Amino acid sequence: LSFGAAAETQLPEQCAHCGKAVTWNPLSEVTATTIPAGHYYVDQTTVTVTNKTVAKSTSVCIYMNGNTVDAGEVNRVFYVSGTLSVMGEGTVKGYGRNKSMTSTSDRYGGTVHIPTGGTFNLYDATVTSEKLTDSKASNGGNINVFGTFNMYSGTVSNGYASNCGGNIFVNPAGVFNMYGGSFENTWVESKLKTDANGDPIKSAAIMTITDGD
C-alpha cells in the first residue's frame, strides 16, 4: 500500500454492513498481500491497493471516508475470495490487468474480481476504471462475478472490457443482486452482438434487480 496526503477523518460509529459499533483501522497500514479480517477506513486522500486479496472465510469492511482507493495504474484493486463490504462516499479505481499477467483469473475484473465463494457488497461508493486499450479486462471491465455481488447503492462506471460485460460480467456460477445504485459509461470491444453497443451488464447467471422504492 502507498498513500497520499492525510485526509480528514469522520468515521461512523457503526458499520453500515454489520450494523454494530466497530473499531476502524487505517487502510494505509495494511502491508500484507492479504487483507486481515476487520474494519478499515481510507485514511489518506488516495491509498494505493493493487490486487489485494480478501481470503476465504474472512470478512473485511472498508469505509471510504470520501477518499480514493487506487490500483496504481497496474491492475485490479481487490480479489475477493471471502466477504468484502465497501461503504461510504469515495472511489475504488482499477486499471484493467497487467499485460504481463497470463492466468485466466488475471484477465477478469478490471477493478474487482469475485471468484466462486466470494461476496462483494457495495454501499454508496463508486467503482470505476481507466479506459486503457492495452490493459483492459477481457470480461467484466469493472467487476467480474463468479461468486456474489450485492449492490445496495453507489455507482459502477467507466468499465472497459475486450469481450463482454463492460461494467459487470456475471458468470454462469455467479449471482448479482441489485437493490439500488446506477451504472455510467461503458465500453466493450466484442464480437458478440449482444455487447456491441457497450451493455453495462452481461449475465449468464442469476441476476435480481429490485426497485429501491
Side-chain angles (χ1 to χ4, degrees), residues 6-198:
E8 183 179 354
T9 303
Q10 296 179 340
L11 303 180
E13 293 183 359
Q14 292 188 335
C15 171
H17 177 70
C18 302
K20 60 183 180 181
V22 299
T23 298
W24 299 98
N25 303 294
L27 183 63
S28 67
E29 295 182 3
V30 177
T31 58
T33 302
T34 299
I35 303 175
H39 292 77
Y40 301 88
Y41 71 98
V42 184
D43 53 311
Q44 309 289 337
T45 53
T46 300
V47 175
T48 301
V49 177
T50 304
N51 206 20
K52 295 293 185 182
T53 297
V54 176
K56 292 181 180 179
S57 302
T58 297
S59 179
V60 171
C61 296
I62 297 177
Y63 178 69
M64 295 302 298
N65 197 31
N67 299 311
T68 298
V69 173
D70 190 289
E73 301 186 17
V74 177
N75 193 230
R76 72 170 72 95
V77 181
F78 297 116
Y79 186 98
V80 186
S81 294
T83 299
L84 173 65
S85 302
V86 173
M87 63 204 72
E89 293 185 2
T91 301
V92 179
K93 186 176 183 180
Y95 292 83
R97 64 184 179 93
N98 189 318
K99 289 179 290 183
S100 66
M101 293 183 170
T102 58
S103 74
T104 299
S105 64
D106 284 326
R107 297 199 298 269
Y108 296 156
T111 304
V112 179
H113 178 55
I114 312 163
T116 301
T119 299
F120 177 46
N121 301 307
L122 180 65
Y123 305 83
D124 299 330
T126 295
V127 176
T128 189
S129 61
E130 282 291 315
K131 184 175 181 289
L132 303 178
T133 58
D134 60 349
S135 61
K136 54 190 171 290
S138 59
N139 292 349
N142 264 311
I143 301 172
N144 188 68
V145 185
F146 278 91
T148 300
F149 174 36
N150 297 313
M151 186 175 183
Y152 296 97
S153 56
T155 302
V156 181
S157 69
N158 295 335
Y160 188 34
S162 61
N163 188 31
C164 52
N167 268 318
I168 299 173
F169 181 68
V170 186
N171 292 271
V175 176
F176 174 44
N177 298 312
M178 184 177 181
Y179 305 103
S182 63
F183 302 100
E184 298 177 357
N185 302 335
T186 182
W187 298 271
V188 179
E189 293 179 0
S190 177
K191 296 179 181 179
L192 303 177
K193 292 182 180 180
T194 54
D195 281 313
N197 63 349

